[in-house]
Amino acid sequence: MKKIIYYILLFFSLGLFAQNEQLAQNYFDKGDFEKALISYEELLKNQYSNGLYFQKVIECYQQLSRFDKAEKSLMARIEKYKQPNLLVELGYNYQLQKNDVEAKKNYEKALDEITKNPSNVYAIAAVFERKVILDYALKAYELGAKLEPNFNFNYPIGVIYGQLGKTDLMIEKFLDEAYRNRVSSIQIQNQLSRFMSEEEGDASFNISLKKALLLRAQKDQDVFWNEYLSWFFVQQKDYSKAFVQQKAIYKRNPETFSNIVNLAQLAMEEQDESTATAIFSFVLENTQDTELKVQAHTFLMKMKTDKASEKDFLIVNSELDLLLKEYGISPYSLPLQLLQAHFITFIGNNPEQGKIILKTALDLPLNNYQVAEVKMELGDILLFEEKFNQALIYYSQIEDDLKNDEVGHEASLKAAKTSFFKGDFDWAQKQFKALKSAATQLIANDALEFFLLINDNTVSDSTQTDLKKFARADYLLYQNKTAAALTQFQALIKEHKTEEIQDVTLLRIGKINQKLGNFNEALANYQSVINQFKEGIYIDEALYFSAEIYNKQLQEPEKAKPLYEKILFEHEDSIYFIDARKKFRQLRGDNNL
């Protein structure tokens, strides 16, 4: 019984102690240093050896300008515990009082303690770093490494060089460490990428990093440096140069194509179709792996189907038929089957044949994700046929089967859009609201856009008249009935009852004109959004799409440059920000790396 009482009291006291610590920290965080000091002094009284409580007491003294008390406490603790890192704390206490002579004296004493025992470097350098006394932190690490060759401080030294603005030295230390300790490579790449994407000075940094990598690749034929150069060019979105490095790696290590295929997919996502085509063609020429061949053929055909119109249907579909005849109807060729079903429906306007292909695929021995892919395409085709409720059944099945998965979220987004198309705005709004916080940025942004569209146009028009017309036109666009969709959007601009529907409608019209090659009309539509809706949520898209037309289609880079720049300065939260920054710098001449 006594033991039980003892444990109850112990548990209670520990809980109370934890509450007191939390209270002290809260006072400290709020800047109420008087109360924080009282609390931490009480905690320290009960646990005098606790270094954290002592540190907090010293910081409270310093915040309250009680430097004499801090000095006395530090000297007493140094005398009692002989902890060399406290010499740095004492020096910093003098530094706060502008007494640089005494500060330096104690910092040098701390370095002497490393000379006596190199293991002291860890504690001493850590305090120098925490106090942002970077020159001495660097000296501490360099001294420790000199005295004990087995110590490796390349990474923290590299970080400090970066903080001091000595980026060339940082690059050398990081690359030394990456080569010596391969498992640290990702951590180092994360550090380097921060400097590559900094707003100021990153062009010169990128040039320095590229030169350092090329020099190492020339001196040392290890494929490690080809891999690093490939990574560098991917960060620059220069996929053709990354491909050169990947080919060099493949020649020495032909066992795997995974990195090459991933690179091709990145190039395709970034609309660098020429590089993507070259990479997939390389894969087809150099592998006998059926799955990889199907994957490469699928992506090459996807680029063709995306550009195809009705007049191209027979030729492109014949190519798909030949590929499926070559590889057979099996789980391996599923990507080609899905592509053909979509193409036959949306370009060939033959949803029945599309469904036959997919229902045949469902009889194959597929895994859960493959089944979800087939059901997603079936849902898309049923939506194309205006069979909204049947489409929702398939999307709901995917949601249930793959909860909290990106594929499940994609199905949820399609279900929400289906509800939107059929005019069930209340239900669609609930689904879009839930998806605003989705982990995938594109899904979250898409959901947010539709959520605001419904919300704004419901508040201004309770009958939702304009919203219904917009949803119908948007659905025609989904069905690939471009001309009909354009006519309805243009009618909505003329007949609209609410101002809120105008900017998004103009943006849709602009995108349709851009797709049709009517570039001047598209630019006029986007300019209307920019001029008339300066506070709207679509202005960054109008700026970006206008810049893309000038840059790519009209070959007028000087007109594109200020539009990209406007996104950089006025729309930092835009999903187009990173791409706009890259293209602006290319046009400015920063990317001649």
Side-chain angles (χ1 to χ4, degrees):
M1 185 65 182
K2 287 182 179 179
K3 281 187 177 180
I4 293 172
I5 293 171
Y6 169 77
Y7 284 124
I8 290 171
L9 290 172
L10 179 63
F11 181 78
F12 180 76
S13 63
L14 287 172
L16 188 62
F17 208 76
Q19 286 181 346
N20 290 339
E21 184 177 357
Q22 182 68 49
L23 184 65
Q25 186 63 47
N26 287 342
Y27 285 138
F28 191 90
D29 292 341
K30 290 177 181 176
D32 194 342
F33 298 111
E34 285 283 6
K35 290 180 180 176
L37 177 60
I38 293 168
S39 298
Y40 277 120
E41 283 180 333
E42 187 63 32
L43 289 166
L44 190 62
K45 193 184 297 180
N46 293 310
Q47 287 190 30
Y48 187 71
S49 62
N50 189 303
L52 174 63
Y53 297 153
F54 178 75
Q55 177 64 39
K56 289 295 186 182
V57 167
I58 296 301
E59 288 179 22
C60 288
Y61 283 145
Q62 290 168 342
Q63 290 287 348
L64 296 166
S65 298
R66 298 175 190 173
F67 300 113
D68 290 344
K69 280 206 164 193
E71 180 183 343
K72 185 177 177 182
S73 298
L74 283 164
M75 295 184 76
R77 200 167 182 89
I78 291 169
E79 181 67 27
K80 183 175 177 66
Y81 290 108
K82 314 296 184 192
Q83 292 173 310
N85 58 299
L86 292 176
L87 291 165
V88 182
E89 298 282 2
L90 184 59
Y92 183 69
N93 195 61
Y94 286 121
Q95 184 177 316
L96 290 173
Q97 300 172 75
K98 312 294 185 190
N99 188 343
D100 294 335
V101 174
E102 286 298 319
K104 184 177 178 181
K105 187 189 296 183
N106 281 280
Y107 296 156
E108 294 294 338
K109 282 182 182 179
L111 295 181
D112 289 340
E113 292 297 324
I114 297 174
T115 304
K116 294 174 188 175
N117 180 1
S119 294
N120 285 329
V121 65
Y122 295 99
I124 289 169
V127 180
F128 277 131
E129 282 193 272
R130 193 172 71 244
K131 301 296 185 186
V132 201
I133 308 166
L134 298 179
D135 288 331
Y136 271 97
L138 191 57
K139 287 179 183 179
Y141 282 125
E142 289 174 338
L143 180 59
K146 181 181 176 182
L147 293 169
E148 180 49 74
N150 289 328
F151 288 170
N152 176 19
F153 300 120
N154 283 334
Y155 183 78
I157 288 174
V159 171
I160 292 169
Y161 278 143
Q163 290 173 308
L164 291 171
K166 300 176 180 179
T167 53
D168 284 348
L169 292 172
M170 178 192 76
I171 288 169
E172 292 305 314
K173 279 296 177 186
F174 277 160
L175 295 184
D176 285 345
E177 179 59 16
Y179 189 72
R180 173 178 172 172
N181 181 14
R182 306 293 171 95
V183 296
S184 69
S185 200
I186 292 177
Q187 185 182 26
I188 287 167
Q189 286 175 352
N190 288 338
Q191 286 286 345
L192 291 171
S193 63
R194 286 174 53 210
F195 286 84
M196 291 170 75
S197 61
E198 287 291 331
E199 276 304 304
E200 298 299 329
D202 69 318
S204 60
F205 176 82
N206 292 343
I207 292 169
S208 298
L209 178 56
K210 182 189 172 185
K211 284 180 179 176
L213 288 168
L214 286 171
L215 281 171
R216 288 172 186 250
Q218 289 163 5
K219 289 178 182 177
D220 184 349
Q221 298 302 306
D222 196 317
V223 295
F224 177 83
W225 298 116
N226 298 104
E227 290 167 353
Y228 242 81
L229 276 164
S230 177
W231 167 82
F232 171 82
F233 289 125
V234 167
Q235 304 311 300
Q236 299 293 300
K237 297 191 176 183
D238 193 340
Y239 301 110
S240 61
K241 288 181 182 176
F243 180 40
V244 172
Q245 299 303 320
Q246 286 297 329
K247 281 194 287 188
I249 296 166
Y250 173 75
K251 285 177 183 177
R252 295 184 225 173
N253 182 20
E255 281 80 25
T256 177
F257 266 99
S258 59
N259 288 338
I260 293 178
V261 172
N262 290 340
L263 180 62
Q265 289 177 276
L266 274 174
M268 193 171 164
E269 287 169 10
E270 294 295 328
Q271 299 179 331
D272 185 352
E273 292 185 6
S274 60
T275 302
T277 300
I279 299 173
F280 284 127
S281 299
F282 178 83
V283 171
L284 289 172
E285 291 165 10
N286 291 279
T287 187
Q288 296 304 314
D289 185 296
T290 302
E291 193 170 357
L292 274 177
K293 280 191 164 187
V294 169
Q295 191 175 1
H297 278 303
T298 302
F299 281 113
L300 287 168
M301 290 305 302
K302 176 75 166 61
M303 285 187 273
K304 286 187 179 182
T305 59
D306 284 347
K307 292 178 179 177
S309 60
E310 288 181 33
K311 64 182 175 62
D312 308 309
F313 176 77
L314 290 176
I315 295 172
V316 175
N317 197 50
S318 294
E319 288 185 56
L320 286 166
D321 280 336
L322 285 172
L323 287 170
L324 284 166
K325 187 176 180 180
E326 180 181 352
Y327 294 105
I329 303 301
S330 72
Y332 287 111
S333 66
L334 182 64
L336 285 169
Q337 296 167 54
L338 292 168
L339 183 60
Q340 187 176 44
H342 188 89
F343 183 63
I344 283 173
T345 300
F346 286 85
I347 303 299
N349 197 27
N350 189 350
E352 287 304 319
Q353 183 59 32
K355 286 188 292 186
I356 288 170
I357 294 170
L358 296 174
K359 286 175 180 176
T360 301
L362 281 177
D363 291 331
L364 298 171
L366 307 177
N367 62 39
N368 288 342
Y369 283 94
Q370 289 173 317
V371 170
E373 284 184 282
V374 177
K375 286 184 175 181
M376 193 86 81
E377 193 61 52
L378 268 169
D380 292 350
I381 291 176
L382 288 164
L383 178 55
F384 175 90
E385 295 182 291
E386 298 194 47
K387 295 175 180 176
F388 300 117
N389 292 334
Q390 290 181 48
L392 285 170
I393 289 170
Y394 279 108
Y395 295 143
S396 299
Q397 286 176 1
I398 299 167
E399 288 178 90
D400 291 339
D401 293 340
L402 296 171
K403 285 186 175 72
N404 302 318
D405 187 278
E406 185 178 333
V407 177
H409 289 156
E410 184 184 352
S412 298
L413 182 65
K414 289 192 173 188
K417 286 185 178 181
T418 302
S419 298
F420 176 78
F421 290 146
K422 66 184 285 197
D424 189 353
F425 300 126
D426 290 341
W427 181 242
Q429 183 74 323
K430 289 174 184 175
Q431 292 172 298
F432 287 130
K433 184 176 182 180
L435 287 165
K436 285 193 301 174
S437 56
T440 308
Q441 187 184 17
L442 285 174
I443 290 175
N445 284 334
D446 215 358
L448 177 61
E449 184 176 319
F450 274 93
F451 175 84
L452 293 173
L453 172 67
I454 296 171
N455 189 67
D456 291 348
N457 284 280
T458 301
V459 169
S460 58
D461 177 18
S462 60
T463 64
Q464 300 175 322
T465 302
D466 286 345
L467 193 58
K468 288 171 186 173
K469 291 179 180 177
F470 181 92
R472 183 61 193 172
D474 223 22
Y475 176 65
L476 290 170
L477 201 56
Y478 170 82
Q479 288 181 304
N480 206 31
K481 296 176 181 177
T482 309
L486 181 59
T487 300
Q488 291 220 17
F489 280 128
Q490 288 172 333
L492 180 55
I493 282 292
K494 292 177 182 176
E495 302 162 6
H496 69 276
K497 293 184 177 181
T498 62
E499 296 298 312
E500 285 76 11
I501 204 72
Q502 282 193 86
D503 53 351
V504 65
T505 305
L506 283 166
L507 193 74
R508 287 287 200 278
I509 294 171
K511 288 169 85 170
I512 292 171
N513 277 319
Q514 187 173 353
K515 182 181 176 181
L516 293 173
N518 304 327
F519 300 122
N520 289 324
E521 289 91 334
L523 286 170
N525 300 139
Y526 296 145
Q527 193 60 47
S528 294
V529 176
I530 295 166
N531 292 342
Q532 298 173 36
F533 304 95
K534 297 185 189 302
E535 304 302 318
I537 63 171
Y538 303 103
I539 190 167
D540 62 316
E541 294 183 63
L543 288 165
Y544 181 78
F545 297 146
S546 297
E548 288 287 277
I549 290 173
Y550 282 124
N551 192 24
K552 292 180 179 177
Q553 278 81 33
L554 301 182
Q555 301 294 305
E556 297 184 53
E558 288 306 311
K559 290 185 178 179
K561 195 159 61 174
L563 297 169
Y564 287 132
E565 188 176 27
K566 199 172 181 69
I567 295 171
L568 302 188
F569 286 104
E570 298 179 13
H571 303 279
E572 292 182 12
D573 59 344
S574 171
I575 60 171
Y576 301 104
F577 177 84
I578 293 173
D579 203 44
R581 180 174 62 189
K582 172 187 172 267
K583 288 171 179 173
F584 172 71
R585 288 170 177 170
Q586 284 176 333
L587 295 178
R588 196 174 60 180
D590 294 0
N591 247 32
N592 298 319
L593 301 178

